Amino acid sequence: MNDPLSMSLADASEALRRKELSPVALTEASLARIEATEPFVDAFVRVIGDEAIIAAREAEIEIAAGRWRGPLHGIPVAVKDLCDMAGLPTTCSSKVRQNHIADADSACVERLRAAGAVIVGKTHMHEFAYGITTPKSGNPWNPEYSPGGSSGGSAATVALNGCFMAVGTDTGGSIRIPSAVCGITGLKPTFGRVSRFGIAPLSWSLDHVGPLTRTARDAALCLQALAGFDPRDPGSADEPVGDYVSALEGGVKGLRIGVPKNYFFEQVDPEVEDAVRAALKVLANAGASLHEVEIPYAEQIMAVQFGLVMPEASAYHRNELRDHADLYEEDVRSFLEAGELILATDYINALRVRGVIQQAWRKLYEGVDVIIGPAVASPAKLRGAASVTWADGAIEPITPVFVRLAAPGNITGLPSVAVPCGFTRSGLPMAFQAIGRPFDEATILRLANTYQGETNWHLQTPPLALSKSNGKAVA
């Protein structure tokens, strides 16, 4: 087995279960791939190689003894550096927290450890997840471009086959944006589906936790391990956890797909629009039916998104901002200071309008099963880019370019998955997103899995992973 890192998580898991692949060898290959590609993308805040090898040896002993824990047992994974890991710093890619040592594991780390996953490190992010880039990291398809954010390091290492899954968070697209621009599959579950305990918040009412993987099947396997009620998270939902893997089968015949006639295809890169509409044709040919839908209250979406995230973020950072304002990056500090100027009445109105939007979206699903549009309006942009100039001459700041199509999923709390669906002429990935009913991750994952069975966009690997790798595992 020359390069097991190129396998899907599902296939690598099966090879481990059958003892055809060694967890130690797989982890050594993962660490070698990370070492080889880090000079180019800088995806990790911290690589914990020694701890990972110890965990891999434990997994190897358990599997050899017939104590296989499940699909993540012995699989190298990473976590975004706002997730607590006992004894390690949780920096949130910020100088503000450079000395913050976690005294316990976050819920997602607890669940990964219980599943037997091997955690190889903590990934870079936009400082405190407050942005749509990851300034320290590069895009795996072209390091001069941004990997998106805020979970950019997570997306970059998964795309480079450095590990098989990375945990991300999503407040305004921070799982789906980097997944889309790095060419991988990113799942934002329903609000409350995965516990946020032990994770530094950005916005309490909008934060979600989910997996970044290469395939929809891999995302289903990871959600199976991560999902579940947790009383330590006030937003956690006490809803049954389904069998996401079994639900992948069955195709999309008879599935009703809502295609927005407003908002999602407005001011979108032409190559992105063409790729998404081509993906819709693939799904229609597979048996789904397409239905035009009108996105309700579209003009209020961005006002509600920022009307919630800005004051909530400023409330969380209030004390640190007063004591250590000089340690924040300029863009994040500016957002936090601006958030303190938002009136309580404006915040309450944003909450009320969100309720109206949520109710209106529930009505949408009376006629369709899932809604599909572009995951982001544009492919990746050069690192440091401040804006995008559209064909009509309009100049749009970089943040709304990447947030506005992701925001509905956060405001409504509905599950959404970003799925690779093509490349631009310059070789940068593009993606669509599928948004489903509350706690119906099974349907959007089934749709994504069906699409990936008909196409091979998700199988493409950045040349950087091949040309800079110096690590191979031995079965």
Side-chain angles (χ1 to χ4, degrees):
M1 197 171 294
N2 290 328
D3 184 15
L5 294 177
S6 65
M7 302 169 71
S8 68
L9 186 156
D11 289 342
S13 172
E14 185 61 15
L16 289 170
R17 186 186 69 81
R18 294 196 304 258
K19 306 180 184 66
E20 298 170 354
L21 181 62
S22 156
V24 173
L26 187 61
T27 300
E28 288 173 343
S30 171
L31 294 170
R33 177 68 55 85
I34 292 167
E35 182 181 8
T37 55
E38 272 298 274
F40 304 93
V41 296
D42 195 10
F44 283 84
V45 175
R46 177 183 299 268
V47 177
I48 51 173
D50 292 343
E51 296 92 329
I53 294 297
I54 291 171
R57 286 174 180 154
E58 292 174 353
E60 190 155 318
I61 292 169
E62 290 179 343
I63 293 172
R67 299 196 302 273
W68 186 67
R69 300 193 200 179
L72 296 189
H73 203 177
I75 295 289
V77 303
V79 297
K80 187 175 179 178
D81 195 33
L82 47 57
C83 306
D84 282 349
M85 288 183 66
L88 293 179
T90 306
T91 72
C92 301
S93 288
S94 176
K95 295 176 183 177
V96 176
R97 303 245 315 204
Q98 61 189 347
N99 296 318
H100 176 90
I101 306 298
D103 57 9
D105 286 339
S106 57
C108 62
V109 170
E110 287 177 350
R111 287 181 176 267
L112 289 174
R113 292 195 200 277
V118 176
I119 301 174
V120 297
K122 306 189 77 177
T123 55
H124 271 306
M125 51 188 279
H126 201 115
E127 184 180 38
F128 286 107
Y130 210 171
I132 51 79
T133 65
T134 303
K136 294 180 173 65
S137 304
N139 190 294
W141 293 92
N142 185 337
E144 294 183 2
Y145 284 72
S146 170
S150 61
S151 309
S154 293
T157 189
V158 170
L160 288 168
N161 299 346
C163 59
F164 291 87
M165 182 275 281
V167 172
T169 60
D170 192 312
T171 305
S174 290
I175 288 172
R176 292 161 291 157
I177 293 167
S179 295
V181 302
C182 290
I184 62 171
T185 303
L187 174 65
K188 181 198 77 65
T190 308
F191 184 80
R193 175 78 290 176
V194 178
S195 174
R196 302 167 301 174
F197 173 77
I199 292 178
L202 172 57
S203 174
W204 292 286
S205 69
L206 297 171
D207 292 342
H208 301 65
V209 182
L212 294 85
T213 60
R214 295 174 213 154
T215 73
R217 183 171 295 276
D218 292 352
L221 289 168
C222 294
L223 182 61
Q224 202 74 58
L226 293 170
F229 175 64
D230 183 355
R232 298 170 298 179
D233 174 4
S236 184
D238 192 3
E239 294 283 338
V241 176
D243 185 343
Y244 301 114
V245 180
S246 295
L248 292 172
E249 308 307 326
V252 295
K253 187 174 181 179
L255 195 71
R256 300 169 300 169
I257 296 176
V259 182
K261 58 184 179 181
N262 66 322
Y263 193 74
F264 277 93
F265 290 98
E266 296 170 358
Q267 210 69 297
V268 169
D269 185 284
E271 288 188 273
V272 171
E273 178 170 356
D274 289 347
V276 174
R277 294 201 184 276
L280 287 166
K281 289 181 181 178
V282 170
L283 292 165
N285 290 337
S289 58
L290 307 182
H291 308 264
E292 275 197 343
V293 295
E294 179 87 19
I295 300 301
Y297 302 103
E299 63 277 10
Q300 273 82 45
I301 288 172
M302 288 298 282
V304 170
Q305 174 72 25
F306 285 102
L308 295 175
V309 70
M310 292 183 71
E312 289 184 1
S314 296
Y316 176 73
H317 286 274
R318 185 173 184 271
N319 292 335
E320 290 286 3
L321 189 62
R322 279 151 179 72
D323 296 338
H324 304 293
D326 58 314
L327 296 181
Y328 286 90
E329 297 294 334
E330 183 178 355
D331 63 328
V332 173
R333 185 175 68 249
S334 296
F335 272 128
L336 292 173
E337 290 171 347
E340 293 197 335
L341 302 178
I342 294 177
L343 299 175
T345 49
D346 292 333
Y347 175 68
I348 296 299
N349 282 331
L351 288 171
R352 294 176 63 194
V353 174
R354 178 173 62 178
V356 172
I357 291 173
Q358 289 173 331
Q359 186 175 20
W361 273 70
R362 282 195 290 271
K363 291 279 292 180
L364 277 182
Y365 288 93
E366 293 177 1
V368 297
D369 303 302
V370 63
I371 294 171
I372 286 181
V376 291
S378 169
K381 292 301 178 185
L382 287 168
R383 296 167 73 171
S387 63
V388 170
T389 302
W390 296 109
D392 62 2
I395 299 174
E396 185 176 9
I398 199 74
T399 296
V401 167
F402 285 92
V403 170
R404 57 181 159 84
L405 301 188
N410 296 97
I411 292 171
T412 62
L414 297 174
S416 177
V417 60
V419 184
C421 66
F423 289 85
T424 65
R425 287 184 293 273
S426 59
L428 295 171
M430 299 178 288
F432 71 83
Q433 66 172 321
I435 308 171
R437 294 188 179 94
F439 301 101
D440 192 15
E441 288 84 4
T443 295
I444 61 172
L445 287 170
R446 174 164 55 91
L447 180 149
N449 184 62
T450 301
Y451 176 78
Q452 290 179 345
E454 299 288 333
T455 61
N456 66 0
W457 302 117
H458 64 293
L459 300 178
Q460 308 307 306
T461 302
L464 185 62
L466 304 175
S467 63
K468 304 300 179 185
S469 174
N470 61 6
K472 293 184 178 180
V474 179

